[in-house]
Amino acid sequence: HRLLYRLDKGKVVLNRRSVVVVDEAAMIGTRQLARLITATEAAGAKLVLVGDAQQLQSIETGGGFKKIGEMTGRVELTYITRQTIKWMRKAVVDMIHGDAASVLKDYANHSRLTVQETWRDARQALIERWRQQALHSPENHLILAGKHLDVQELNKQAQNARQAAGLLGKSSIKVRGQTFYPNDRVIFTKNNVATQLKNGQAGTVKEVSGNSMTVWLDNGLTKQIDTAAYDHMQLGYA
């Protein structure tokens, strides 16, 4: 959308030496894709579309990316590199082909799937497993949940477990109703130019004093944050 806007306003000018690469092209609406094709064709530029029509769907009326591939041919990646374990690679292929039963069976056979009677039981089992494996290294073990309320509850339970084990500092700071201690995990939820923090960035709280929080980010940088000026953060265990 931004590129089309800038093309319309003349802020970007394409020519025959231009190459436009679109990632996650399956997400583009057909009307927007048509406009982009028209613009690149008129300029004699090259348009490269990269994506997976079986993975992410377009927000607006779509299907153009898939149809283009069917009509003109396409280059396909067939070797999986993200999963390095053989059975996990097979599980990915099975999921692509819609064979969810085989995937769940493989994960269960390798002790990677636990099923409980209720969501409360599942949540408790998750925290118990996390306590065994991640208590001393939460930066390497991220809890995922489908609802914000579950995330809040799991974050609190993980924090309580670390506090009970004496792994958190004594001083504290309260931000948006959540209490943070030294050695807590924190995740930031909004981009901020002044602090150069980005939505989704995570780190470990090192010090707290008054409205100030010192955080060692996972990328190795250290940030001093005035929570009175920037308070878009939450516990980062889940």
Side-chain angles (χ1 to χ4, degrees):
H1 284 78
R2 182 170 63 179
L3 177 59
L4 289 171
Y5 172 82
R6 296 179 75 191
L7 286 169
D8 290 342
K9 297 295 182 181
K11 296 182 178 182
V12 171
V13 179
L14 301 176
N15 57 48
R16 62 184 183 84
R17 295 174 61 84
S18 303
V19 180
V20 180
V21 182
V22 184
D23 195 17
E24 301 294 3
M27 297 182 69
I28 303 176
T30 300
R31 291 185 179 89
Q32 287 75 32
L33 184 56
R35 288 176 60 195
L36 189 57
I37 291 171
T38 299
T40 51
E41 188 174 41
K46 181 176 183 178
L47 178 62
V48 181
L49 304 177
V50 184
D52 185 350
Q54 291 181 284
Q55 185 180 31
L56 298 172
Q57 302 303 308
S58 60
I59 298 170
E60 300 180 28
T61 303
F65 170 73
K66 180 180 180 181
K67 192 64 177 178
I68 289 171
E70 292 173 351
M71 293 175 64
T72 66
R74 57 196 164 213
V75 176
E76 294 187 353
L77 297 175
T78 57
Y79 184 78
I80 297 169
T81 58
R82 179 172 293 171
Q83 281 75 20
T84 58
I85 301 172
K86 186 176 180 180
W87 72 265
M88 286 187 175
R89 284 180 174 163
K90 175 182 176 296
V92 172
V93 175
D94 287 343
M95 186 61 80
I96 290 171
H97 294 146
D99 190 359
S102 292
V103 175
L104 295 174
K105 183 178 179 181
D106 284 342
Y107 270 79
N109 288 340
H110 289 87
S111 301
R112 300 300 181 95
L113 175 66
T114 301
V115 179
Q116 302 291 336
E117 289 294 328
T118 70
W119 65 269
R120 289 184 178 85
D121 293 339
R123 195 162 65 182
Q124 189 58 42
L126 187 155
I127 283 294
E128 287 304 319
R129 178 72 63 86
W130 183 90
R131 195 193 309 270
Q132 296 168 19
Q133 298 182 354
L135 194 65
H136 295 272
S137 57
E139 67 278 4
N140 296 324
H141 300 81
L142 180 62
I143 299 170
L144 299 178
K147 297 179 181 180
H148 287 296
L149 287 175
D150 284 334
V151 167
Q152 292 173 14
E153 179 62 27
L154 289 164
N155 267 327
K156 188 60 182 173
Q157 289 192 33
Q159 184 188 55
N160 289 342
R162 297 198 78 219
Q163 193 170 37
L167 297 173
L168 301 183
K170 300 298 183 182
S171 56
S172 66
I173 185 172
K174 185 162 285 191
V175 183
R176 290 200 169 197
Q178 294 187 84
T179 303
F180 297 84
Y181 299 90
N183 292 331
D184 255 334
R185 290 291 290 169
V186 59
I187 189 167
F188 301 100
T189 58
K190 188 176 182 179
N191 294 341
N192 184 266
V193 175
T195 60
Q196 295 184 323
L197 290 170
K198 295 182 178 180
N199 180 29
Q201 263 187 320
T204 301
V205 178
K206 286 303 177 184
E207 294 180 7
V208 296
S209 177
N211 289 328
S212 179
M213 175 188 291
T214 304
V215 178
W216 183 30
L217 299 177
D218 289 349
N219 62 13
L221 297 176
T222 299
K223 293 288 183 180
Q224 189 85 21
I225 302 163
D226 179 2
T227 60
Y230 177 86
D231 61 356
H232 299 279
M233 62 189 73
Q234 65 183 42
L235 288 171
Y237 300 104

